Amino acid sequence: MLLNSIPFLLFFLAVIIPYYTLLSRSRKAQNVWLLLASYVFYGMADWRMLPLLAATTLAFYGLGWQIARAEATNPMRASRLTTFGVVIGILVLFGFKYLGFCVEQFTALLARMGLHVQVLTLRIVMPLGISYFLFKLMSYLIEIHRQHIRPETDLVAFSAYV
């Protein structure tokens, strides 16, 4: 759905009108509504991207809490958890964005050396905005580790943020 299309305008109005009218008295209800609408919109591109978004959101939410707890008692563990979260984020990003390219280049290199290999290529769906939401999640962990922010207590609010 293009952002400058009539279907997007109708979807936007269907989200924004209840958000500011029917749900205006409850921040929690607004966040639930916004989260549901976001997942519907994200899933309209390809529903197969939704599990990755949900899994990374849950994983980084939990890591944020673990880092905050460890920061008070074991700063070295907090550093390791932060590093682990950043590495996981980079690996997920690499896997979806660059793995296919690297396999193709490695296969081409082997072919130039006279070694012809048959490689099964995976048709991985590229999640929309994967760089954006993974860097957002990684920065969340880093800011918790630096004690610039506290971890979010409300999973729905955190998920809507992501």
Side-chain angles (χ1 to χ4, degrees):
M1 177 182 333
L2 297 174
L3 297 180
N4 61 349
S5 66
I6 298 297
F8 175 77
L9 176 64
L10 295 174
F11 179 80
F12 178 74
L13 291 173
V15 171
I16 204 76
I17 291 171
Y19 183 87
Y20 283 111
T21 57
L22 301 173
L23 306 171
S24 65
R25 292 189 178 143
S26 170
R27 177 78 60 197
K28 181 78 167 176
Q30 284 180 322
N31 282 337
V32 168
W33 179 249
L34 190 59
L35 179 62
L36 290 173
S38 296
Y39 269 68
V40 167
F41 184 74
Y42 198 73
M44 287 169 117
D46 194 331
W47 65 269
R48 295 174 295 178
M49 296 183 288
L50 292 173
L52 175 69
L53 180 60
T56 54
T57 300
L58 290 172
F60 279 75
Y61 177 78
L63 268 173
W65 275 103
Q66 292 298 317
I67 291 167
R69 273 194 218 117
E71 200 63 56
T73 58
N74 188 347
M76 183 59 88
R77 184 171 191 278
S79 291
R80 279 192 234 116
L81 286 169
T82 304
T83 302
F84 174 73
V86 170
V87 168
I88 291 299
I90 290 170
L91 287 175
V92 169
L93 186 63
F94 177 81
F96 280 94
K97 285 191 92 164
Y98 305 112
L99 184 62
F101 172 76
C102 288
V103 168
E104 288 174 13
Q105 295 307 308
F106 187 68
T107 304
L109 176 66
L110 290 176
R112 285 186 181 180
M113 294 170 42
L115 301 169
H116 296 285
V117 294
Q118 190 70 13
V119 178
L120 175 66
T121 56
L122 301 174
R123 298 287 177 210
I124 298 173
V125 176
M126 174 69 74
L128 295 175
I130 188 169
S131 299
Y132 176 74
F133 74 77
L134 282 173
F135 284 123
K136 195 176 205 181
L137 288 167
M138 288 185 280
S139 70
Y140 171 74
L141 295 183
I142 292 167
E143 292 301 311
I144 290 172
H145 177 62
R146 291 179 176 168
Q147 297 180 346
H148 292 171
I149 62 172
R150 296 275 312 139
E152 176 58 51
T153 57
D154 184 2
L155 178 59
V156 173
F158 178 75
S159 300
Y161 160 77
V162 174

